[in-house]
Amino acid sequence: GVQTCALPIYVFKDCSSLTNITIPNGVTEIDNGAFSKCSSLTNIVIPNSVAKIGENAFEKCSSLANIIIPNTIPKICDCTFSFCKALINITIPNGVTEI
């Protein structure tokens, strides 16, 4: 069968020293709250293999300034970027049908 690879719920929650992360190709989902409260996270690279970003995935990432959403994501869930006070640039592709 087809195997999916997800970053589990709250896997990096409260990792306040995490500053940059590149999610490897093959990850298909960033689960709810996966990077919640990573207050020093400034840069994240999301590959095109990701098809879902869960609720509160980047909640309270207060240093996150730039993010590019891959073309493979059709929906941005509730509170995905809530309390991201430093967010100045977000690229949302045409394929997103629901925010």
Side-chain angles (χ1 to χ4, degrees):
V2 176
Q3 182 179 18
T4 59
C5 181
L7 291 177
I9 193 167
Y10 300 120
V11 69
F12 294 105
K13 182 182 178 194
D14 294 317
C15 290
S16 59
S17 61
L18 185 64
T19 58
N20 294 289
I21 191 162
T22 298
I23 296 172
N25 198 24
V27 172
T28 58
E29 182 176 337
I30 300 171
D31 214 340
N32 298 351
F35 295 94
S36 178
K37 299 181 185 177
C38 292
S39 57
S40 298
L41 184 63
T42 58
N43 185 48
I44 187 162
V45 177
I46 302 172
N48 285 335
S49 61
V50 174
K52 180 183 177 189
I53 299 176
E55 295 179 9
N56 306 99
F58 301 103
E59 175 192 34
K60 297 183 182 175
C61 289
S62 55
S63 297
L64 186 62
N66 299 289
I67 192 160
I68 297 172
I69 305 294
N71 290 330
T72 51
I73 296 176
K75 175 183 176 183
I76 298 175
C77 294
D78 293 343
C79 302
T80 298
F81 300 103
S82 64
F83 301 104
C84 291
K85 300 182 289 188
L87 191 60
I88 56 171
N89 186 26
I90 185 167
T91 301
I92 300 172
N94 291 336
V96 172
T97 58
E98 186 176 345
I99 297 178

